Each structure stands twice: as structure tokens, then as C-alpha cells.
Amino acid sequence: MELKVEHIETDFLVLGGGTAGCYAALTFSARSAAKVLIAEKANIKRSGCLAAGVNALNAYITTGHTPQDYVDYARTDAAGIVRGDLLISMSRGLNRAAQRLEEIGLTIQKNPDGSYMARGERNIKINGENIKPLLAAAVAKPQVTVLERVAACSYIMGADKRVAGAYLVGVDDPVLYVISARAVLCATGGAAGLYRPNNPGFSGHKMWYPPFNTGAGLAMGIQAGAEMTSLEMRFVALRCKDTIAPTGTLAQGMGARQINSLGRVYEQDYGLSTSARLYGTITENLEGRGPCFLRTVGATSEQDAEIEKAYLNMAPSQTLRWLESGLPPSQKNVEIEGTEPYIVGGHTASGYWVDTHRETTLKCLFAAGDVAGGCPQKYVTGALAEAEIATEAAISYMSDELKQTDIEQTQRIKVWLESHLMRTMPETGDTVDGLEEEMQALMDEQAGGITSNYQYSQASLEQAAAGIYSLSKRAKALSVPDMPELTYLLELRERLIVCRSLLAHLAARKESRWPGFAKHADYPEQDDSFRCYVNSKLEDGKVKVLFRDLVEEGEVYEHHDR
């Protein structure tokens, strides 16, 4: 099969039409007359982390609090490994982002005096089932082009590590898109599917993070030599068992406490950080006091109705379970469990190493949302705030000359993609699904997945690294019959690239700073000699680990003079 090459020129290219991507295009169109193109693998109306909706904006500066309070909360939760300069600039934009969402039609619940209704110290309640359709509708502007059903696979690299656009392939049609741009925003989301999930096989899609977020943007950056940060700060969500529905709605909306099988509240024994809540649950189970629950028994019928309605906004499977069983939260406690690990910079600090303008170490390439590192606890409004910051900085490049694409570079990409479409089936009988399952099993068992209670050792990481290297070689020999299967092959490749860098990060941090998210069996305690950023970049085909000093309170880090 031969790929048709289609060249497209735009001013601002946004990779990913999710939360940050749509808001970036909305911001750009309001502040510049130049052209913007959103490239999305699915359909922007229901893609990304907000596809199913959400029932609260979990990052908001409520009455009596300041942006600095939010910075302090995020720093404490991440045990100090954050970029304060990124957090403060993000925090200052949270309330503005919430107000903008209301302006485009989002229903934010209000108190009798008209103020937003808080849910805890940093959250406000919304009716958010339609939040993604609202964002998608808001970018329907003359200067915004939306290209859907395309998968990004590589950056177009110009001179001096300057990103001049991206290569994408059609998910359905045999087309190689060569999109040239003055500036590029990566907003492709984090990486799911690296580890074996709670519900494998037919129900493998029933996970916390979108299964279609495969680390594409992260892998593209790694391959291009961008510096990455804190990949070892994985995120493991504490969720309702089986449905993998969020637990925060119960904990904050109903005040439900974590209890063990003896009915004892255990959360205070381990701490109240996100990782500690998970670690306590793991430990209680290991020591024979599981299963663990959120104590909802004793709630009122009014609370039942409110909670069931809230879950319809984001995780209807949990509401269906209550209705089908006839046992609402007030009559049966909700069992909880941890998910598989994810790389997601909206909750932890993992992702691209960026400056305060959200520009990566590759010039003209910006990152926002789950791919941008150093700034955890973003959630929805934080991703929007970062998109705004990145877009404002990207506008400064609009006067730059649009670079011509290297013909030889395009031909190499075309030949590489076509080689997977033209081969006969290899004698090994390997398939994309088969290799993906092997990868997930390997990461689960040797690199701190569910099976090992999120624990690993230097020896197990070395074994995992050797396995990922072998799987990567086998993946290069795969053949696929059509474009959808080529997309799945590219997704496997992306996950393997991210796994390789992740393993290097896990091995480099010789301590256990976030025991719920990751426990190093050889170094089970926190060690302040590792109070630093673990960064990396690919050099000469090898992952080079870099240790950077923390950007302390009041300091600012920038890549370039602007």
C-alpha cells in the first residue's frame, strides 16, 4: 500500500483536540488573526480525558484562599518535586479558566448569593456531562481548522532543534499528512496502557485514564531529543473497585472515610496525600485487614440521589451498579482499589521539561496539560490555564518565516510507514495485540504494576528494560493490513518508547518518595539526596539521565531569552 502525501500549511498547529488543545485554539483565535489547525485522532466532540464528562472542577481558588495556597498544596502532595514557577503561573489562571467555561455554556452550580458552590477547599461543583461538546463547539471559528481521524507520529525537525510541524497518518485513509507550522503545541495527553490494567482482555478499556491516550506526544518528543522530567512520578488512581469510577466525589461530596474490613478508619495512619491514601489501602490489604472501602453506609436518601446523579456526569457505570444491585451508597460501603500506573502530568509532575512559557527544550514546540511536566494537580482548569500560557507565547512566533519541509525527511517517514504496510506476515507470528499484552505483563510484573503492589527492584527493572528492548525489535518487523491497524502499531511503538524512558527514570531515583505510586524495594525510604528532578533525553540512541537542582521558592527557570 502506498501512502498519498498531502502538504498542509498553518500558523499554529495543535496536536490533540482534548481539554488543552481545544482551549488553546479558542485562546489563539481570540488573540491572533493567524490560522490554527487542531489535529485529533478521534472526534473533538468526545475525545480526551473529558470525553465522558466530569462533575467538578478540582482546581479552583475558593473564597479565603490564594494561588500560593494551591502551590503549597501541590508541592506537599508531590513531596517537594515540583516546579513552583510553573505552579504559580498555572494557579493564577484557574479561576479565569472556570469563568471562561461558564461563558461558553458550562453549568457551574451556585449558592443562593450567586457564588460558585464549593466542594472542599479547592473544588467547585458543575454539571459537566457536556463539557467536551461545549469546548468543541467553541472552536468552530473561521480561522480554526479541525483535522480529525489523524494520528501524529513524528515532528518535522528544522535546523537547531527547531520544530517546524508534524507528520501524521490517516486513521482510515492511506494518507501521510505533512503539516508545516510556525509553532506547535503538543496536547496529546499522557500515557495509558503501559501496564496490565485492572480489567484485562475484553474489558481492558475500563480504566481510569483514556485508553486511546498512548503517549504519542511524549514519544515524539523523546525521539526528537526533547528533555523530559519526572516520568518516575507515576500516577496510580484510587478508584471504586471494578467500575474504576472516581472516589473523590464520595470522599469530598459525602465525607466518606477510608475503612478496612474491621470498620476501622485507617487513612490518618498513613497520611492524606494522594499517594499515601493509596499506600494505606495497599498496606491494609497486604496485612490482612482488607478489603478496604469508603464508608458510605449511613448517608441520607438525599445524599444517595445527589451522588448517583453526580456519577452520571462522569462514570455512569457506578450509578448503574447501584441501581442494578438495589443497594445505594447509604446501604453498602464502596470497595476501593488501585489502578495500574499511568504517566500523566495533570496529576503528577511527569512530562516535557518546559519553561514558564510552556516551551519545551525544542524551539517552537510548546506543551500543555498532561504532557507538560513539573506542574501537578492541574486537572481541567489547570490544563486550560497552561494552554492559555503556551498559546500566548506561541503567538510571538507568528512573524517567523514558515520553514520548508525537508524532502528527504518526508521520504524517510513515508518509506518507514509503508514498510509496515507492504511486508508479508513474519514467521514469528507476532501481532500488535500480542506484543502489547507481553509489554503490559512485563511492566506489571517487573516494573511495579498491580501484581507487585507497585514495587520493583534494580534487578527487576533491568529485566524489564531488556524485555522492552526485545519487544521493540520485534515490533519493527510487524506487518499490518490497513490504516487502522497501522495506527495500533504506532500506538504500540509509542508505548514502548515511553516505557524505555520510564524504566530509566525509575532506576535513577534510588529512593521511595511516593510509596503508593512506586516503592523501590532496594531503597524503601525517602532520601533527601534525591530531592531533585530526574530528567532525561535520548542521545545517540540511549536514554541519558540528568539530575537537575530544584527550582526553589521564588526562582524562575527559562530555556531561552525571550
Side-chain angles (χ1 to χ4, degrees):
M1 185 183 297
E2 185 174 352
L3 297 178
K4 174 187 174 183
V5 178
E6 184 172 331
H7 292 267
I8 300 174
E9 292 185 353
T10 190
D11 295 304
F12 186 38
L13 172 60
V14 177
L15 297 175
T19 311
C22 281
Y23 199 75
L26 184 63
T27 301
F28 188 90
S29 63
R31 303 183 189 184
S32 171
K35 296 181 295 183
V36 56
L37 186 149
I38 302 174
E40 166 58 43
K41 187 162 62 174
N43 182 300
I44 64 169
K45 186 175 180 180
R46 287 291 183 186
S47 63
C49 297
L50 296 183
V54 65
N55 67 10
L57 297 178
N58 289 323
Y60 187 83
I61 310 303
T62 55
T63 302
H65 296 90
T66 67
Q68 185 61 46
D69 293 335
Y70 200 90
V71 174
D72 296 341
Y73 149 70
R75 179 181 282 112
T76 299
D77 200 75
I81 310 302
V82 298
R83 286 273 303 279
D85 54 344
L86 301 182
L87 278 166
I88 191 64
S89 62
M90 180 270 290
S91 299
R92 287 170 179 158
L94 294 176
N95 291 17
R96 184 169 62 253
Q99 183 178 354
R100 187 72 180 95
L101 286 174
E102 187 178 30
E103 290 171 359
I104 66 172
L106 181 69
T107 300
I108 300 180
Q109 297 182 30
K110 296 183 177 180
N111 297 308
D113 64 0
S115 61
Y116 292 158
M117 187 178 294
R119 191 193 76 172
E121 292 185 7
R122 295 171 289 273
N123 313 344
I124 56 175
K125 296 181 179 182
I126 66 172
N127 296 341
E129 185 278 336
N130 65 342
I131 187 171
K132 192 63 206 301
L134 287 170
L135 278 169
V139 300
K141 297 178 179 296
Q143 71 196 88
V144 180
T145 300
V146 179
L147 181 63
E148 296 176 324
R149 303 292 289 170
V150 291
C153 60
S154 181
Y155 291 121
I156 297 173
M157 298 303 299
D160 302 323
K161 288 192 174 182
R162 184 186 183 102
V163 173
Y167 294 103
L168 303 93
V169 295
V171 172
D172 305 302
D173 302 316
V175 180
L176 170 61
Y177 294 92
V178 184
I179 305 180
S180 302
R182 290 178 168 82
V184 178
L185 173 68
C186 181
T188 55
L194 308 182
Y195 289 78
R196 188 160 50 199
N198 297 76
N199 305 295
F202 179 78
S203 297
H205 63 282
K206 190 179 288 186
M207 55 174 61
W208 169 73
Y209 199 63
F212 312 105
N213 284 16
T214 58
L218 297 172
M220 289 166 61
I222 291 168
Q223 288 292 95
E227 188 170 335
M228 315 304 287
T229 188
S230 307
L231 298 183
E232 78 282 2
M233 195 190 298
R234 313 174 307 176
F235 183 70
V236 180
L238 186 65
R239 288 298 182 257
C240 303
K241 191 175 186 301
D242 298 329
T243 63
I244 314 301
T247 55
T249 299
L250 293 168
Q252 297 185 46
M254 296 180 68
R257 306 288 296 278
Q258 292 175 223
I259 61 172
N260 58 26
S261 61
L262 305 176
R264 182 177 179 276
V265 176
Y266 63 83
E267 57 189 38
Q268 74 280 353
D269 298 337
Y270 301 92
L272 299 179
S273 69
T274 308
S275 60
R277 287 181 179 279
L278 175 69
Y279 181 62
T281 304
I282 297 166
T283 305
E284 291 295 304
N285 283 321
L286 285 173
E287 295 183 356
R289 294 184 292 275
C292 296
F293 305 86
L294 282 173
R295 186 169 61 194
T296 57
V297 169
T300 65
S301 58
E302 289 78 10
Q303 286 178 308
D304 278 342
E306 183 178 351
I307 288 296
E308 289 172 355
K309 180 181 177 181
Y311 275 95
L312 284 175
N313 274 315
M314 57 176 179
S317 59
Q318 184 62 38
T319 298
L320 290 174
R321 166 169 280 202
W322 283 320
L323 295 177
E324 289 169 352
S325 68
L327 296 172
S330 62
Q331 296 182 31
K332 185 178 181 180
N333 293 323
V334 177
E335 190 174 350
I336 54 178
E337 64 180 349
T339 64
E340 76 275 21
Y342 304 95
I343 305 301
V344 51
H347 285 66
T348 63
S350 56
Y352 280 92
W353 179 250
V354 297
D355 62 15
T356 60
H357 305 281
R358 272 50 177 191
E359 189 168 16
T360 72
T361 53
L362 303 178
K363 195 170 180 63
C364 301
L365 176 65
F366 297 82
D370 285 342
V371 293
C375 185
Q377 312 296 350
K378 296 186 189 89
Y379 307 118
V380 175
T381 43
L384 303 183
E386 276 202 331
E388 182 180 52
I389 293 168
T391 301
E392 288 178 341
I395 289 173
S396 67
Y397 286 125
M398 291 306 104
S399 60
D400 289 6
E401 181 183 349
L402 196 62
K403 305 300 180 184
Q404 292 298 314
T405 306
D406 187 326
I407 297 175
E408 291 184 2
Q409 186 180 159
T410 299
Q411 185 62 21
R412 285 195 301 271
I413 295 290
K414 182 175 183 290
V415 169
W416 164 58
L417 292 167
E418 288 176 345
S419 69
H420 289 289
L421 288 162
M422 292 177 170
R423 291 181 183 143
T424 57
M425 287 299 293
E427 295 180 2
T428 60
D430 283 336
T431 64
V432 173
D433 287 347
L435 293 188
E436 184 174 279
E437 287 182 11
E438 286 189 50
M439 173 196 69
Q440 291 178 342
L442 179 70
M443 294 294 289
D444 178 59
E445 295 164 11
Q446 304 298 333
I450 296 171
T451 299
S452 59
N453 294 299
Y454 315 109
Q455 182 170 283
Y456 50 82
S457 65
Q458 289 296 110
S460 71
L461 290 176
E462 290 174 6
Q463 188 169 339
I468 292 298
Y469 177 76
S470 175
L471 288 171
S472 299
K473 289 182 64 177
R474 289 161 62 189
K476 290 178 181 179
L478 285 176
S479 296
V480 291
D482 53 31
M483 297 307 294
E485 288 296 326
L486 180 61
T487 302
Y488 300 146
L489 174 56
L490 291 174
E491 291 176 339
L492 170 64
R493 173 179 175 269
E494 292 153 8
R495 286 173 165 136
L496 288 168
I497 290 170
V498 175
C499 281
R500 186 183 179 200
S501 291
L502 167 60
L503 291 169
H505 277 247
L506 291 172
R509 186 171 285 282
K510 293 177 171 54
E511 65 162 352
S512 294
R513 185 165 289 265
W514 313 283
F517 293 165
K519 182 142 189 198
H520 200 313
D522 298 330
Y523 306 95
E525 303 299 327
Q526 182 173 309
D527 182 351
D528 277 344
S529 64
F530 281 90
R531 192 175 176 274
C532 62
Y533 308 114
V534 175
N535 288 10
S536 69
K537 59 181 176 179
L538 196 65
E539 289 187 353
D540 299 323
K542 297 181 180 179
V543 180
K544 179 182 178 182
V545 172
L546 311 167
F547 295 97
R548 282 187 176 269
D549 292 337
L550 292 186
V551 178
E552 300 289 358
E553 185 75 33
E555 295 179 346
V556 174
Y557 168 87
E558 303 291 3
H559 300 317
H560 319 290
D561 293 330
R562 295 182 65 88

